[in-house]
Amino acid sequence: MATKSFRIFATKEDLFSIFFDFQQNVKIHYFKCGRMYDLVKISDITKDTLFGINQKGNLLNSQWLVCYNDTMPLKRKNNMCLDNNIFFLDQEVNEYSAVINIGGVYEDKALFPTEISTIWYEKTESKELYTMLKKSCKKYTACTQHGYLIGKNALLCKEKYRFCTISIDSPQIYDLKLK
């Protein structure tokens, strides 16, 4: 299993440009990750009501599994629940996918990174999705600092937002400082 990931600090506007570009290049669909009863599927992630908004003030915000249109994700049994209708959706058993953890603006005072990753990089489909997402991100990147891509609009907002790398409650010494 080969793992790859990258993070980009991006505003809602940056994210819209990135995912609009990505969705123009490939026929895909997204599935909400986590524990649930029913699959939550969308074809345009920018239409999600909370797209680009960080609600929790930490890195775990809104995770989505991205797959080609001809791929339906496999569900994992949730062994912690007695209810057999509850399942878990993530990348563990979905070899032909990538995962997007949407970051964004938290309470108009902090920006959290969006992370794009795959644990199945050696699989052609996962590698393609990951690579296309990275290319779309790089089109709308102003610079890279300490391994983080910085979106063009995010860079313009560097005085407005904290660039949080952990949590809103973390000391600001852990924030990404832009030059």
Side-chain angles (χ1 to χ4, degrees):
M1 208 183 291
T3 302
K4 288 269 193 173
S5 71
F6 69 92
R7 290 182 177 173
I8 180 169
F9 278 101
T11 62
K12 186 174 186 169
E13 294 79 15
D14 291 327
L15 291 169
F16 182 83
S17 297
I18 289 163
F19 285 99
F20 181 79
D21 180 74
F22 172 65
Q23 292 167 177
Q24 297 305 304
N25 294 323
V26 61
K27 293 189 183 311
I28 47 89
H29 46 202
Y30 305 87
F31 297 90
K32 187 83 171 151
C33 291
R35 188 179 86 158
M36 60 193 78
Y37 284 100
D38 297 309
L39 279 177
V40 176
K41 174 185 166 185
I42 58 174
S43 58
D44 183 351
I45 201 164
T46 66
K47 302 286 189 225
D48 181 50
T49 55
L50 297 173
F51 178 76
I53 299 169
N54 185 297
Q55 289 190 290
K56 300 177 182 179
N58 62 40
L59 294 176
L60 299 175
N61 188 46
S62 178
Q63 275 195 343
W64 294 87
L65 191 73
V66 58
C67 307
Y68 286 108
N69 269 354
D70 61 351
T71 303
M72 281 303 289
L74 300 173
K75 305 170 192 173
R76 279 195 303 126
K77 170 80 176 93
N78 189 332
N79 294 324
M80 301 298 285
C81 290
L82 298 176
D83 186 339
N84 287 328
N85 295 317
I86 295 177
F87 63 89
F88 200 81
L89 186 67
D90 62 8
Q91 202 177 20
E92 184 176 318
V93 294
N94 290 291
E95 299 178 11
Y96 308 113
S97 64
V99 173
I100 301 163
N101 184 18
I102 301 287
V105 176
Y106 174 75
E107 293 184 355
D108 207 33
K109 62 182 176 185
L111 192 60
F112 283 86
T114 292
E115 181 174 22
I116 297 172
S117 62
T118 182
I119 61 170
W120 298 105
Y121 192 73
E122 72 278 6
K123 303 289 184 182
T124 303
E125 294 86 347
S126 289
K127 186 176 187 174
E128 286 173 352
L129 289 167
Y130 176 87
T131 302
M132 286 187 287
L133 279 160
K134 192 163 189 176
K135 283 181 183 177
S136 291
C137 285
K138 285 192 171 191
K139 282 184 186 178
Y140 300 97
T141 295
C143 62
T144 303
Q145 290 204 8
H146 302 289
Y148 289 90
L149 301 175
I150 311 297
K152 292 177 181 178
N153 195 54
L155 186 62
L156 296 175
C157 297
K158 70 181 181 180
E159 302 299 324
K160 181 178 180 180
Y161 298 128
R162 285 179 57 192
F163 282 61
C164 291
T165 60
I166 302 171
S167 165
I168 196 68
D169 298 325
S170 298
Q172 291 187 19
I173 194 165
Y174 296 114
D175 293 354
L176 180 67
K177 305 294 187 238
L178 298 179
K179 298 172 186 170

